[in-house]
Amino acid sequence: MNSNNFYDPSYKPTCSAEKSSVFDTPKSIYDYLNSHLYGHSEYKKVISTFIWKAINKHKPGTILIAGESGSGKTELMRILSKIYGTNINIVDGSTVVPHGFKGTNHLSAQLSVLDFNNEIFPPILVIDEFDKFIDRGAGTWSETGLVSELLKFLEGGLYNCGTDDKPRYVRTDNLSVILLGSFSSVTDHTQHTTIGFGCNEQPSPRTRSLLTKEQILSKLTPELQGRISQILILNNFTEDDYLKILKNSSYSPLAKFECKYGVKFNVSENKYYEMAREAFSSMTGVRAMNNMIEEYLDEELFNNPMVKEITID
């Protein structure tokens, strides 16, 4: 499985018959998440309380988490799903289509994989790339049904997640929803410089600005605003944060590759800094580090599939 693909169909979490002690309190959930993902303490607290409330039949309000690409928004959901089980569905909001339109990736179909009768783990729908979802929902006439369809989920009630020919009705009153997005279209800027009369402008590297709640609200319809109980904006990671991630075996993508392929990486200090700089400057975060490590790994595997030690310097 590609470590960068959060929607790989081969990823199948298992659902245990009994609730793990991890779910006893919001703090125990937090401790588990904290041991698997670097930083974002407030994000972990919000999600921990959200999950505890859902399991204890206190339906949590819909929350929206915003943060730059590669910061771990979706990864935290994947970590959670490994103990929560199959009743959490992480959906790529940039690819779903409204009910009644061509294709198989209908938004309504995302409910069909959830068990609405599960007494231990209530269904949770996570819509990733939510900023792209609402951009598409405000686009052509064929896509405007996306937002109205989501509103039906959030309102609760009887909903047909099947087809007109083969209906399957579920009651969404107990469905909990988490929305994730980078909202990069309002925070990434490309600076242009012009040299001489009539010269074409040449773009310089993008600059990063802080996302605000007002910018997020400006992208949401009043109907959506009224159905989202909390908006949390993650702090951007610094170059130093990415360096700490690389060097901590609990979070490092190096450790994950070592475990997956049975190899050991020896990384020079210069390369550590180079990967951290790339993660920060590219604005793709941990994904950038994953890509760099995999390039080194692939080169070594090509030369020697039985390699056990790789030096990156």
Side-chain angles (χ1 to χ4, degrees), residues 215-259:
Q215 288 174 316
I216 295 175
L217 289 173
S218 70
K219 305 275 285 182
L220 307 178
T221 65
E223 293 82 4
L224 269 177
Q225 291 182 27
R227 289 168 176 80
I228 296 174
S229 64
Q230 184 175 3
I231 295 175
L232 177 65
I233 301 174
L234 306 185
N235 293 326
N236 293 339
F237 279 155
T238 65
E239 190 173 313
D240 186 56
D241 285 319
Y242 290 119
L243 189 62
K244 290 177 180 177
I245 290 172
L246 276 170
K247 291 188 172 186
N248 189 318
S249 60
S250 295
Y251 316 120
S252 177
L254 286 164
K256 293 177 182 178
F257 277 105
E258 287 180 337
C259 180

Side-chain angles (χ1 to χ4, degrees), residues 27 61 166 173 183 209 212 214 269 278:
K27 182 63 165 57
K166 297 180 179 180
D173 302 72
F183 291 86
S209 62
T212 66
E214 288 70 27
E269 200 67 15
E278 177 64 19

Side-chain angles (χ1 to χ4, degrees), residues 71-122:
S71 62
K73 299 183 303 298
T74 313
E75 182 64 15
L76 190 70
M77 294 296 102
R78 283 172 54 82
I79 292 167
L80 179 64
S81 72
K82 291 179 181 179
I83 55 170
Y84 194 88
T86 55
N87 226 24
I88 180 170
N89 188 17
I90 306 172
V91 179
D92 182 355
S94 68
T95 63
V96 292
V97 295
H99 181 78
F101 289 89
K102 291 182 178 179
T104 58
N105 195 25
H106 295 112
L107 180 60
S108 57
Q110 308 307 321
L111 299 185
S112 64
V113 301
L114 297 170
D115 180 3
F116 281 78
N117 298 313
N118 192 317
E119 293 295 325
I120 301 176
F121 297 105

Side-chain angles (χ1 to χ4, degrees), residues 50-251:
F50 180 98
I51 295 300
W52 184 86
K53 288 168 71 176
I55 288 177
N56 287 275
K57 307 300 185 290
H58 307 298
K59 181 182 176 180
T62 299
I63 58 176
L64 191 161
I65 309 296
E68 63 183 359
S69 178
S71 62
K73 299 183 303 298
T74 313
E75 182 64 15
L76 190 70
M77 294 296 102
R78 283 172 54 82
I79 292 167
L80 179 64
S81 72
K82 291 179 181 179
I83 55 170
Y84 194 88
T86 55
N87 226 24
I88 180 170
N89 188 17
I90 306 172
V91 179
D92 182 355
S94 68
T95 63
V96 292
V97 295
H99 181 78
F101 289 89
K102 291 182 178 179
T104 58
N105 195 25
H106 295 112
L107 180 60
S108 57
Q110 308 307 321
L111 299 185
S112 64
V113 301
L114 297 170
D115 180 3
F116 281 78
N117 298 313
N118 192 317
E119 293 295 325
I120 301 176
F121 297 105
I124 295 175
L125 179 67
V126 180
I127 302 181
D128 199 7
E129 306 286 359
F130 181 66
D131 49 325
K132 298 178 179 61
F133 175 95
I134 55 177
D135 283 344
R136 292 176 60 231
T140 65
W141 68 270
S142 64
E143 293 171 330
T144 52
L146 280 172
V147 173
S148 61
E149 198 165 334
L150 174 61
L151 288 172
K152 293 179 182 178
F153 290 6
L154 302 182
E155 288 168 359
L158 206 59
Y159 188 84
N160 180 18
C161 63
T163 64
D164 294 335
D165 295 333
K166 297 180 179 180
R168 184 199 169 199
Y169 290 95
V170 296
R171 186 163 290 280
T172 60
D173 302 72
N174 296 322
L175 174 70
S176 299
V177 179
I178 299 172
L179 310 170
L180 310 175
S182 67
F183 291 86
S184 57
S185 62
V186 297
T187 58
D188 291 356
H189 308 282
T190 302
Q191 296 178 335
H192 294 269
T193 57
T194 304
I195 303 175
F197 178 78
C199 291
N200 293 327
E201 292 184 343
Q202 299 297 321
S204 62
R206 294 178 299 169
T207 59
R208 179 189 273 104
S209 62
L210 295 178
L211 183 66
T212 66
K213 185 176 180 179
E214 288 70 27
Q215 288 174 316
I216 295 175
L217 289 173
S218 70
K219 305 275 285 182
L220 307 178
T221 65
E223 293 82 4
L224 269 177
Q225 291 182 27
R227 289 168 176 80
I228 296 174
S229 64
Q230 184 175 3
I231 295 175
L232 177 65
I233 301 174
L234 306 185
N235 293 326
N236 293 339
F237 279 155
T238 65
E239 190 173 313
D240 186 56
D241 285 319
Y242 290 119
L243 189 62
K244 290 177 180 177
I245 290 172
L246 276 170
K247 291 188 172 186
N248 189 318
S249 60
S250 295
Y251 316 120

